[in-house]
Amino acid sequence: MPSHDRQEPRDRIVRALIGDGAARIVVVVATDVAREAARRHEASPAAAMAMGRAVTAGFLVATLTKDNERVTLQLLGSGPLGTLTVDAGSAGTARVFVANPKAGGPLGVPPSLGQAVGRTGVVNVIRDLGPGRDFSGQTPIVDGEIDTDVEHYLCQSEQIDSALGCESRLDDQGGVSLAAGVLVQALPHGEGARYVAVARRRLRDGALRALRGEVTAAELLAAVLGDDVDQVTVLPDPLPLRFHCPCSRERAASTLALLGEDDLLNLIREEGQADVTCEFCRARYDFTDVALEGIRQGLRGDARLPS
């Protein structure tokens, strides 16, 4: 694991422009975030690889937001992994959920990730733009490889000419050893389509798969852009990334409160306790009968919710 005091953390977002602003480029390295998500889910190799690609794609899509906006990227595929969900923010945080993290078993990943994710289904994207301001779009899954599915969404639903590629690689123990990706988008009133076409062709030809070791932003740019990399202007202040889940005991108590007074009373009488597990980070919050009664009383206005 990298030292916490490294001045340039491995997980980060680097932004750039190419061709005098004809296209914008976003490079993401999210290895540690993907590794942490897979660890919390005790993910199989297939699930770990899918989570790595998904969280990288989520970060790439989230960079298109402003201020403290958030993006929820969801792939509802027909494969054994079930639903994949990424919650990512423009501030550089993300969390990941996979419905069936044990799918695929310990034997490794299938020849095509599409077999695990599913080659049919839908891609949902919800942009949280602030109170009462959401934008959502949906497109069909193309092949279940995640990056091509999200690229198709950007081109069709948001109508932005885009080339997006993600690579997720595992070590000998089935843990995530690399999660990285690149997004190239044409900007309005420019000639960015040429750069997008070059990037898309190189990505489909395996430009990211050919990289080895701990790749850098410069290596990712060169792999995707080829000779055009000389026209790139890297913007200052790369954004560090981290796994973060905003769940808390208070939120868990609010979830239990949704049961209502009668169901809470039955829970106290029959079970004497309850626990709530966050589906994203797997944190568990335990509530005794006394705590449950406090929540029940809070619904009646006789007491405050326990902290």
Side-chain angles (χ1 to χ4, degrees):
M1 294 288 289
S3 171
H4 291 294
D5 59 1
R6 284 179 60 178
Q7 293 184 352
E8 295 187 0
R10 175 169 56 183
D11 281 15
R12 54 180 177 162
I13 289 175
V14 175
R15 297 176 175 88
L17 297 173
I18 187 171
D20 294 325
R24 62 182 168 191
I25 307 168
V26 184
V27 175
V28 166
V29 178
T31 305
D32 289 337
V33 174
R35 181 181 291 131
E36 179 65 10
R39 182 191 69 80
R40 288 173 179 264
H41 280 75
E42 299 180 350
S44 69
M49 178 171 281
M51 294 173 82
R53 283 200 193 177
V55 75
T56 301
F59 274 128
L60 289 170
V61 174
T63 63
L64 310 180
T65 64
K66 302 183 293 186
D67 302 322
N68 291 317
E69 297 169 8
R70 299 200 67 79
V71 166
T72 300
L73 168 64
Q74 191 172 56
L75 293 101
L76 296 92
S78 57
L81 290 180
T83 300
L84 266 167
T85 303
V86 178
D87 172 38
S90 56
T93 63
R95 55 182 183 163
V96 194
F97 164 74
V98 58
N100 302 309
K102 303 296 186 183
L107 300 180
V109 297
S112 169
L113 193 57
Q115 295 180 23
V117 175
R119 294 192 174 90
T120 60
V122 295
V123 176
N124 284 328
V125 175
I126 302 172
R127 296 188 182 279
D128 182 357
L129 307 178
R133 297 173 56 233
D134 287 349
F135 168 83
S136 62
Q138 183 180 97
T139 54
I141 283 178
V142 175
D143 56 13
E145 298 295 325
I146 299 177
D147 50 2
T148 44
D149 301 312
V150 177
E151 177 187 288
H152 179 72
Y153 164 82
L154 291 171
C155 293
Q156 297 299 314
S157 182
E158 301 195 2
Q159 297 186 343
I160 304 174
D161 192 13
S162 307
L164 187 150
C166 300
E167 176 68 0
S168 182
R169 205 154 48 226
L170 307 180
D171 58 27
D172 293 339
Q173 287 73 46
V176 178
S177 61
L178 175 69
V182 180
L183 171 65
V184 181
Q185 288 192 317
L187 293 174
H189 313 300
E191 299 180 357
R194 182 180 77 82
Y195 299 105
V196 172
V198 169
R200 183 180 295 124
R201 183 178 67 252
R202 294 179 69 87
L203 286 167
R204 300 303 170 258
D205 287 343
L208 298 187
R209 290 194 299 272
L211 296 173
R212 292 291 179 265
E214 292 189 13
V215 301
T216 64
E219 290 170 331
L220 289 165
L221 288 170
V224 172
L225 297 173
D227 294 338
D228 289 335
V229 74
D230 292 337
Q231 301 181 49
V232 169
T233 300
V234 176
L235 302 180
D237 302 323
L239 179 68
L241 305 178
R242 64 188 177 94
F243 181 97
H244 172 70
C245 184
C247 74
S248 65
R249 183 173 177 83
E250 289 74 17
R251 291 193 177 194
S254 297
T255 299
L256 289 171
L258 295 175
L259 295 174
E261 287 188 61
D262 292 342
D263 286 345
L264 279 170
L265 184 58
N266 290 333
L267 186 61
I268 292 169
R269 289 173 173 173
E270 295 174 9
E271 301 293 336
Q273 59 85 36
D275 63 80
V276 176
T277 300
C278 175
E279 63 181 9
F280 281 97
C281 72
R282 312 308 299 167
R284 172 171 164 163
Y285 301 94
D286 295 315
F287 294 85
T288 64
D289 56 348
V290 174
L292 293 172
E293 177 62 18
I295 296 172
R296 192 179 75 87
Q297 292 294 328
L299 293 174
R300 302 171 60 187
D302 297 336
R304 301 178 65 181
L305 288 178
S307 60

